[in-house]
Amino acid sequence: MMPIVDMLVQHAKKEKISMHMPGHKAGMLFSCSHSFLTEEYASFFSKLAEVARHDLTETIGVDSLHDPKGAILKAMELTASVYGAASSFLLVNGSTCGVHAMIYSSFSKGDTVFVSSDCHMSVFNALMVIGCNVVVLPVKVDEETLIPLAITPQDVRKAYEMFPDSKGIVMTRPNYYGVCADLLSISEIVHENKGVVLVDEAHGGHFGFSSKVPESALSLGCDMCVQSAHKTLQSLNQGAFLHIADSKYKDKVFKALKVIETTSPSFLILATLDFTREYMKNTGREKLDKLSDILKDFAYRLGKYEAYRIFDGCGFEKDITRLVLCVKGKGVHLAKTLADRGIYCEMYNENCVVFIVTCADDKAVLDHLFDNLVSVYGDLAEVEAEEKGIKVYKDDIRKINLPDFDTYTNYEFETVDVGKAVGRTSSQFVIPYPPGIPVIYPGDSITHIHADICRRYCIERINVIKYS
Ligand SMILES: Cc1ncc(COP(=O)(O)O)c(C=O)c1O
């Protein structure tokens, strides 16, 4: 059952003229011939016109995302039942808007909040907007590859000893490398301390659909979580879910979403969220089980090639569908070589290349990757390894001094070379993308290590507060 898709299909069948937004009027002009379009562009737009027929607005008979009463409400209810949530919200501005909504509805100005240091920038932005005291918890790091792992329950306990009035935690699980923190234990500790557990599960929308992938945050005791359905599931970009474990959170989350989410939601994104849910409900387990077999076979065959090592999470739970290939100092070269061969990865650095595998992939795709890895293996041996890189994350539990939002936006700043920034105060978040995790916070006093981290990410100039 796909109520949103059904709504769009039924609307498209009606004989009508559309005197409403969007102004492209169901893509009318995309399929006409225009002198400024080359043949190739014309073909692009005529295909787009097919899709644009369904790019609607909230007219009569079409439900509203901000006041759902019909098809969208039904789709949200179906989503909650598939994910085992008290309520689920469909999002069209990515997990980013879900993160803001979770945080706005859970914390108040002056609250102390624990944050795993591998959190996405949306987490820090949202906490800064509200004016929370942010205490960063360290993620363990694999010393060999410098891959960030996860926070530990022990550190959460320690953090409560240091900051007993903390109102809860915002944490990423899984991280960009598929590593999962022990959420069950962390939830218990935070709940013992009457805190709220918010999980950024942007990369884990497929969790819980099969025993071959980690359990979902909702089943491990979180209070709310967000999932980018466009990252590991089947939605168009920007499609995401926000799930809540208890209906007591519903009104506040809904209010927060009204504040931050667009009032012109894409019905195309919503339709793909409808599809995603039904796809995962009907075929998720079978598909993930099969993928797991394919990936195990892939790892087994690649085992013969010593210079390739598939990252296994270093003792933490690890999502098998996040394929991280460690290649000691040759990650950049390998990623670029594969791109030359038409294989594009999600992320790379000196030591590894990260590939996202989803239900849309099959054995043929993994075989193709495997064949290419084998075929470049000899050349890779000849390449000089780069230095190992630099450890980005700090080891201690620490309160960071984020400015309030007003101060932040009004900083008088100047842009200087990173070398010259040492000793000055950063006026910005420095955020390499991917993975979108801040490595310098506004208000940080810039050190030589910060400067090295910037250079490592090819960031040559940064903004610092002007001397008064
Ligand atoms: C861990 C994490 N959280 C949140 C986000 C934001 O998600 P979205 O792009 O869906 O807004 C990202 C995006 O890369 C992410 O990696």
Side-chain angles (χ1 to χ4, degrees), residues 428-445:
Q428 65 166 120
F429 287 101
V430 176
I431 306 170
Y433 215 99
I437 296 165
V439 291
I440 298 178
Y441 307 110
D444 267 355
S445 175

Side-chain angles (χ1 to χ4, degrees), residues 38-224:
T38 63
E39 211 174 297
E40 207 174 19
Y41 293 173
S43 154
F44 172 86
F45 280 104
S46 76
K47 283 178 198 140
L48 190 63
E50 267 303 294
V51 179
R53 286 176 63 218
H54 301 291
D55 188 23
L56 271 188
T57 190
E58 299 87 347
T59 185
I60 293 165
V62 179
D63 203 8
S64 159
L65 183 64
H66 286 288
D67 186 19
K69 293 195 171 83
I72 296 178
L73 179 63
K74 184 75 197 154
M76 288 184 175
E77 288 168 356
L78 290 169
T79 306
S81 107
V82 168
Y83 278 90
S87 289
S88 295
F89 297 87
L90 308 186
L91 310 177
V92 293
N93 292 133
S95 282
T96 298
C97 84
V99 163
H100 278 260
M102 288 198 302
I103 289 176
Y104 293 173
S105 56
S106 302
F107 303 120
S108 306
K109 189 174 165 69
D111 282 352
T112 296
V113 180
F114 297 150
V115 172
S116 61
S117 58
D118 58 353
C119 271
H120 185 254
M121 57 186 165
S122 53
V123 171
F124 293 95
N125 283 335
L127 290 166
M128 182 174 65
V129 168
I130 301 189
C132 291
N133 298 314
V134 177
V135 173
V136 176
L137 306 192
V139 293
K140 301 280 170 210
V141 172
D142 172 30
E143 294 297 335
E144 191 189 328
T145 57
L146 297 182
I147 289 177
L149 303 172
I151 57 169
T152 63
Q154 292 78 2
D155 276 338
V156 177
R157 270 207 195 286
K158 222 188 276 174
Y160 268 112
E161 283 160 21
M162 296 164 69
F163 302 94
D165 61 343
S166 168
K167 295 287 191 271
I169 190 165
V170 191
M171 56 182 281
T172 304
R173 176 188 181 273
N175 71 4
Y176 230 98
Y177 301 85
V179 182
C180 297
D182 175 0
L183 177 57
L184 190 60
S185 304
I186 292 172
S187 298
E188 272 174 23
I189 298 167
V190 176
H191 288 148
E192 268 167 32
N193 287 278
K194 313 254 176 298
V196 63
V197 179
L198 309 183
V199 178
D200 177 349
E201 202 176 31
H203 294 258
H206 56 298
F207 281 13
F209 280 99
S210 148
S211 59
K212 311 290 181 186
V213 292
E215 286 185 61
S216 69
L218 271 179
S219 65
L220 295 171
C222 80
D223 294 289
M224 302 184 205

Side-chain angles (χ1 to χ4, degrees), residues 5 10 20 47 92 124 127 147 157 159 186 191-192 208 231-232 277 286 302 342 354 386 395 417 457 459:
V5 176
Q10 295 313 323
H20 56 75
K47 283 178 198 140
V92 293
F124 293 95
L127 290 166
I147 289 177
R157 270 207 195 286
I186 292 172
H191 288 148
E192 268 167 32
K231 288 196 199 305
T232 64
R277 179 198 64 249
E286 182 197 334
L302 207 68
V354 180
E386 283 181 73
D395 294 328
D417 290 345
Y457 286 111
I459 296 165

